Amino acid sequence: MTAGLAADLGYAHASANPLHRLVRRGAGTRAGGWVFSHTLRRLDDVVVRLSRGRHSAPGLLAGLAVLEVTTTGRRSGQRRTSHLIATPYAGTLALLGTNFGQASTPAWVLNLEADPRATVSYRGVSREVMARPATPAEADEVFALAGRFYPGYVSYRARVGTKRRIRAFVLEPA
């Protein structure tokens, strides 16, 4: 599992300035999660297009690195790309299907469960990966690590924990 995926991609989160800390705290609330779950994708598409791929909305607003994860749609068979915040973990990356603390499971999670092959890209560097479900111990560790750079993960887990299981995935080289 020492693939070095995070290092290969140069994937890391910036240290947070005061604006980033404010946005990170606000996004972790119930209201903030709802707002971001309904607006961030469109806002991110605009920022990426206007900056010609050099910036993302979460990067500008919260200092968080955005990973492009391309999966195969479980129903359509079409390639689908999601912009996700990954957690550097054990030399590789992990993903948490929190959906901003909303009640529904994100589609990318269901796609990875149906077909674990994916492509991840960061700043023009791409790698083929296999996503495997994290063990319960790994999921706890990933949540703890993720909570250090984005406290919203901890509140999402507490809020959603009784309504649905938040899936965690560890990315390994294909």
Side-chain angles (χ1 to χ4, degrees):
M1 190 157 83
T2 58
L5 181 61
D8 285 353
L9 295 172
Y11 187 89
H13 299 290
S15 57
N17 66 34
L19 173 64
H20 295 158
R21 285 191 296 275
L22 179 67
V23 171
R24 289 178 189 188
R25 258 184 264 132
T29 66
R30 185 179 304 275
W34 185 90
V35 167
F36 278 109
S37 72
H38 288 87
T39 62
L40 191 59
R41 181 178 178 148
R42 288 179 190 88
L43 177 61
D44 196 39
D45 288 344
V46 170
V47 170
V48 168
R49 187 176 64 246
L50 291 176
S51 70
R52 295 187 181 113
R54 290 187 314 271
H55 299 288
S56 67
L60 293 175
L61 294 171
L64 296 172
V66 175
L67 186 70
E68 289 185 359
V69 179
T70 303
T71 60
T72 301
R74 70 192 182 288
R75 293 184 184 158
S76 69
Q78 300 292 315
R79 299 293 281 167
R80 305 285 186 206
T81 299
S82 300
H83 294 170
L84 304 174
I85 307 302
T87 302
Y89 171 72
T92 188
L93 296 170
L95 301 173
L96 295 169
T98 60
N99 200 20
F100 294 97
Q102 303 306 296
S104 61
T105 298
W108 66 263
V109 167
L110 303 173
N111 292 345
L112 282 179
E113 288 177 334
D115 182 350
R117 294 171 298 175
T119 303
V120 294
S121 301
Y122 181 67
R123 294 187 175 172
V125 179
S126 297
R127 296 288 184 269
E128 297 298 316
V129 297
M130 292 290 285
R132 68 167 178 80
T135 66
E138 287 173 326
D140 288 343
E141 191 174 347
V142 170
F143 263 103
L145 290 169
R148 290 182 193 159
F149 65 82
Y150 179 57
Y153 283 126
V154 176
S155 61
Y156 297 159
R157 192 176 201 191
R159 186 165 62 240
V160 173
T162 60
K163 297 175 185 141
R164 69 174 172 90
R165 180 175 58 91
I166 296 176
R167 276 78 139 200
F169 295 92
V170 175
L171 304 179
E172 298 178 336

